[in-house]
Amino acid sequence: MVITDILTNKKFVLEIALKVLGRNKLVDFSEKHTQAKKALDIWFDEVSNANWQTPQDIKNRYFSADFLSDNRVIFDIKGNHYRLVVKVRYQNGIVIIEWVGTHAEYDKRSFK
């Protein structure tokens, strides 16, 4: 987030960690797919402490991330065994978890 000091008119970047909504989807999925839990927990912790301003910020950390319209991102989890679909609101610093599933389940769905 870029802030302008009204007294000096200088701009500076204020880094605020992202707020991740929908963690319950990760927890529910991890209960059924226990082998995914550690990887999903790591992803959640990393993203909760990130400060994404642009899609390039995501790509710099997650090389295999795919980008869809409407600021949606698909992450490969645990060596591409699982997929995670989120929507990113860069201006507000919010990541909304939309869907998590196995790669096979992902292949049956249509994300556009």
Side-chain angles (χ1 to χ4, degrees):
M1 175 183 295
V2 177
I3 304 290
T4 303
D5 183 324
I6 59 172
L7 297 175
T8 64
N9 206 31
K10 291 184 180 179
K11 295 181 188 265
F12 59 95
V13 176
L14 178 62
E15 291 194 17
I16 300 173
L18 295 169
K19 181 170 180 79
V20 182
L21 305 177
R23 185 169 192 185
N24 61 308
K25 292 177 182 171
L26 301 183
V27 171
D28 292 346
F29 184 80
S30 293
E31 287 174 358
K32 296 174 188 156
H33 301 272
T34 55
Q35 65 277 20
K37 184 180 183 335
K38 183 176 180 182
L40 290 170
D41 287 346
I42 290 169
W43 178 91
F44 182 86
D45 289 342
E46 286 182 5
V47 174
S48 296
N49 290 298
N51 179 29
W52 297 337
Q53 299 293 312
T54 67
Q56 188 60 50
D57 293 334
I58 297 171
K59 202 67 167 169
N60 288 344
R61 170 59 185 95
Y62 298 98
F63 306 112
S64 62
D66 296 311
F67 297 86
L68 303 174
S69 62
D70 201 24
N71 290 323
R72 294 167 78 207
V73 185
I74 301 171
F75 292 94
D76 296 337
I77 303 293
K78 197 173 188 266
N80 207 17
H81 287 91
Y82 306 99
R83 291 288 181 102
L84 175 61
V85 180
V86 304
K87 182 170 186 168
V88 181
R89 294 185 180 165
Y90 296 98
Q91 296 282 31
N92 305 88
I94 297 173
V95 176
I96 303 165
I97 298 169
E98 293 187 344
W99 183 85
V100 61
T102 66
H103 195 112
E105 291 169 335
Y106 171 83
D107 287 341
K108 295 176 185 175
R109 297 180 63 118
S110 174
F111 293 97
K112 296 180 182 183

